Amino acid sequence: MLLPPLVDYARDAAAYRRPAPPETFNYCDIIDGYAEDETREALIWLNAAGDERRLTFAGIRDGSKRIAEVLGAQGVGRGDTVLIMLPRLPEWLMAMMAVFRLGAIAIPCITMLTRKDLDYRIGVTEPKAIVTVPAEAAKFEGLLAEDTARLIVPYGPGDAPGWEDLNALAEQAGLDVPTARMRPDEGAILYFTSGSTGQPKGVLHSAYFPRAYYEVAAYWFDLNAQSRDDTMWGTADTGWSFSATASFVGPWMAGVRTVLYDGSFDAAERLAIMARLGVTVFAASASEFRQMLAQDIEAYDLSRLRLTATAGEALDAPTAQNWMRRAGCRIHEAYGQTEALMVVANYPVTEIRPGAMGLPLPGLPIEVISETDLSPLPAGEVGHVAIKMPMEGMMLHYWKAPDKTAEAFADDAAGNTWYITGDLARKDEAGYFWYEGRADDVINTAGYRVGPAEVESAVMAHPAVKECAAVASPDAKRGEVVKAFIVLHRGYSAGPELAKNIQTFVKHETAPYKYPRKIEFMPELPKTVTGKVQRKSLRDREAGAGGDGPVPA
């Protein structure tokens, strides 16, 4: 369904109401509707090796039905979980759609996850099936129940003895697969997101979660006039909610062709692909824009690029201003969370205030509230970013964690229930939100959310490390990076060689993006009188020092 474009933000936002939810819903119905036009293109896929495939919505529909039949034959049914750890491939999109079609729950995971990461996720979700590529299959050895279906997509290097070829099975499968009629209280997608303490939390979203992208597509991405023949490219990896936002739900809700690229980040290659494919809407992390600005942007033909978008980390004003000046198009920052999806954004009809998060998406009740009485704060005062319930698009709950779910919400004196995001912000007189940081200790590096406890656990496994505290450290390229303050056991000498050794060790203990890019050795960590490490003290020290440390690594 396409919404009309915004004309006057204040007027249109005040009057807007999201279309009432139907009694049942399945995102596959949206795709199947666009697939009625057999020629309508849905996807351009390419990789670093030069391979390229193009698929129509009809191809996505049929591919997802065939995979759904394969999964169904393996025992996957309504409410079951399926862990999908694939790189950016067409099969990733079709496998996700297949799980939705069956009424099961998809668990998208990035391929950087380690065996330790997977052990935790598998233990708490007990997936009925695993879908991955041969190079990743060994990570699952010894972690799966005997009856767990093991399916590989034959892509890239490696062998997977004992795993079945999903593509070969799908080629033999039929198309007579019914689409589950899902209720709003039934789950469809489960993301794992880092917190400041403990293991990552599983965030379960309703089968109705794609409806939260009506406004994202129409207003933030400006995908509401199909005569533009848009091509949208979102670069987020497969395990993050921003991949749904910008790759396979946001643009596809509007029937827009999307680009998927499997390859490591290369700023020049990003620009070359945009020019060659005539990308019109591009979405990436702020870090990617910073690195592209180091290239000769003017040498690339970006004449078709009409809009860029970013989320996942704060966009600084100089980057926004330089990008708009050199690329010749607007950049729309937005703010959201895995739990609530996108809630604040910039729009074609509103002024861009570089450094500001933007304005609330039309129809969404988001405020800056007081920590004491949960009342909305006046302009200029810093408080908690909070969302008034109910809101379609909010997670159903944290997976098997009722206590954590309850802690995320609070009731005010008037009986209103608020979801407390954990982020701090202020509003200006015009209603723009300005980010002021995290209320907890989560590190946001290049768009990846990293919990300090995850880093500290991995660092502490090194035999030289006695104590560790991980915090965010300012970084010109990535916004902020992980920095570890380390106290060593007796007999070990601090220095660059040991710092490098610890970094290499951590890369094998947990996903590589979590390793501490900076290390500082200390005789002792600052602690409270009760013995708790004062991460805030270290974080404030880093912010004041601009990220400089005696042992950069």
Side-chain angles (χ1 to χ4, degrees), residues 44-109:
I44 303 172
W45 174 83
L46 61 164
N47 66 9
D51 301 320
E52 185 171 323
R53 293 163 62 187
R54 292 181 178 241
L55 284 84
T56 61
F57 280 101
I60 297 292
R61 175 199 61 200
D62 293 350
S64 73
K65 285 187 174 183
R66 295 182 191 280
I67 293 174
E69 182 168 290
V70 172
L71 291 172
Q74 299 276 2
V76 176
R78 195 182 193 115
D80 289 331
T81 54
V82 178
L83 191 149
I84 302 172
M85 190 168 85
L86 291 173
R88 299 170 181 88
L89 295 173
E91 287 80 4
W92 164 60
L93 297 167
M94 290 186 283
M96 294 288 290
M97 298 298 298
V99 174
F100 297 158
R101 198 176 290 278
L102 291 171
I105 299 170
I107 310 171
C109 296

Side-chain angles (χ1 to χ4, degrees), residues 400-411:
K400 295 183 179 179
D403 291 345
K404 289 187 181 297
T405 302
E407 290 170 5
F409 298 87
D411 294 334

Side-chain angles (χ1 to χ4, degrees), residues 3 22 32 58 64-65 116 171 247 306 364 462 467 480:
L3 298 174
D32 295 354
S64 73
K65 285 187 174 183
K116 182 178 179 181
E171 285 179 7
S247 293
R306 66 179 182 84
L364 300 193
H462 191 284
E467 291 183 300
E480 55 187 36

Side-chain angles (χ1 to χ4, degrees), residues 195-196 313-314 435-453 455-456 468-476 478-485 513-520 533-549:
S196 59
E313 60 176 307
Y435 187 69
E436 293 287 346
R438 287 289 298 168
D440 59 21
D441 299 309
V442 171
I443 302 159
N444 194 330
T445 175
Y448 294 106
R449 282 169 53 86
V450 179
V455 179
E456 291 160 5
C468 173
V471 301
S473 177
D475 181 80
R478 296 176 176 84
E480 55 187 36
V481 296
V482 178
K483 178 168 181 177
F485 290 88
Y513 68 87
K514 300 176 186 176
Y515 89 94
R517 291 181 179 270
K518 299 178 183 178
I519 287 176
E520 181 172 343
V533 175
Q534 293 180 310
R535 286 201 197 96
K536 186 178 185 302
S537 173
L538 296 171
R539 190 170 64 243
D540 291 346
R541 169 180 160 177
E542 273 306 284
D548 295 328

Side-chain angles (χ1 to χ4, degrees), residues 283-305:
S285 69
S287 297
E288 291 188 41
F289 286 101
R290 293 187 194 105
Q291 294 183 64
M292 285 189 289
L293 282 170
Q295 304 297 311
D296 183 9
I297 293 175
E298 292 77 8
Y300 297 88
D301 179 9
L302 302 182
S303 57
R304 291 209 65 207
L305 186 66

Side-chain angles (χ1 to χ4, degrees), residues 58-352:
I60 297 292
R61 175 199 61 200
D62 293 350
S64 73
K65 285 187 174 183
R66 295 182 191 280
I67 293 174
E69 182 168 290
V70 172
L71 291 172
Q74 299 276 2
V76 176
R78 195 182 193 115
D80 289 331
T81 54
V82 178
L83 191 149
I84 302 172
M85 190 168 85
L86 291 173
R88 299 170 181 88
L89 295 173
E91 287 80 4
W92 164 60
L93 297 167
M94 290 186 283
M96 294 288 290
M97 298 298 298
V99 174
F100 297 158
R101 198 176 290 278
L102 291 171
I105 299 170
I107 310 171
C109 296
I110 58 173
T111 56
M112 282 194 291
L113 293 184
T114 65
R115 176 181 171 84
K116 182 178 179 181
D117 298 323
L118 291 169
D119 188 20
Y120 170 70
R121 285 160 174 76
I122 291 166
V124 297
T125 64
E126 301 176 314
K128 272 290 186 75
I130 306 293
V131 181
T132 190
V133 288
E136 305 300 329
K139 293 178 181 178
F140 295 90
E141 189 66 34
L143 301 182
L144 304 178
E146 188 175 336
D147 61 348
T148 303
R150 297 159 171 81
L151 301 166
I152 57 112
V153 174
Y155 176 81
D159 296 313
W163 291 65
E164 296 185 88
D165 184 329
L166 177 61
N167 286 9
L169 293 172
E171 285 179 7
Q172 303 301 316
L175 300 175
D176 187 19
V177 180
T179 300
R181 312 310 334 149
M182 302 297 286
R183 301 186 309 273
D185 62 338
E186 293 184 280
I189 192 165
L190 178 63
Y191 289 108
F192 280 85
T193 184
S194 296
S196 59
T197 59
Q199 294 281 10
K201 293 173 288 189
V203 178
L204 181 65
H205 275 282
S206 161
Y208 282 48
F209 86 96
R211 286 174 46 81
Y213 292 102
Y214 280 136
E215 300 83 12
V216 167
Y219 302 146
W220 180 29
F221 294 152
D222 194 32
L223 300 177
N224 44 48
Q226 297 309 292
S227 61
R228 279 194 262 249
D229 190 27
D230 278 304
T231 298
M232 180 167 180
W233 182 14
T235 66
D237 209 344
T238 55
W240 308 120
S241 61
F242 196 26
S243 65
T245 304
S247 293
F248 78 97
V249 180
W252 280 2
M253 286 293 282
V256 166
R257 174 195 308 112
T258 189
V259 173
L260 209 57
Y261 173 71
D262 180 44
S264 58
F265 174 77
D266 182 291
E269 185 68 10
R270 286 277 196 269
L271 293 163
I273 291 171
M274 278 191 267
R276 180 166 72 83
L277 298 181
V279 171
T280 58
V281 181
F282 177 74
S285 69
S287 297
E288 291 188 41
F289 286 101
R290 293 187 194 105
Q291 294 183 64
M292 285 189 289
L293 282 170
Q295 304 297 311
D296 183 9
I297 293 175
E298 292 77 8
Y300 297 88
D301 179 9
L302 302 182
S303 57
R304 291 209 65 207
L305 186 66
R306 66 179 182 84
L307 180 65
T308 50
T310 186
E313 60 176 307
L315 176 67
D316 58 283
T319 296
Q321 291 164 332
N322 288 337
W323 176 263
M324 289 189 287
R325 176 176 56 83
R326 296 182 59 195
C329 66
R330 291 167 65 97
I331 184 166
H332 287 176
E333 183 176 8
Y335 163 83
Q337 287 193 328
T338 305
E339 291 89 339
L341 305 177
M342 293 300 167
V343 291
V344 171
N346 285 272
Y347 314 100
V349 298
T350 57
E351 173 194 359
I352 292 178

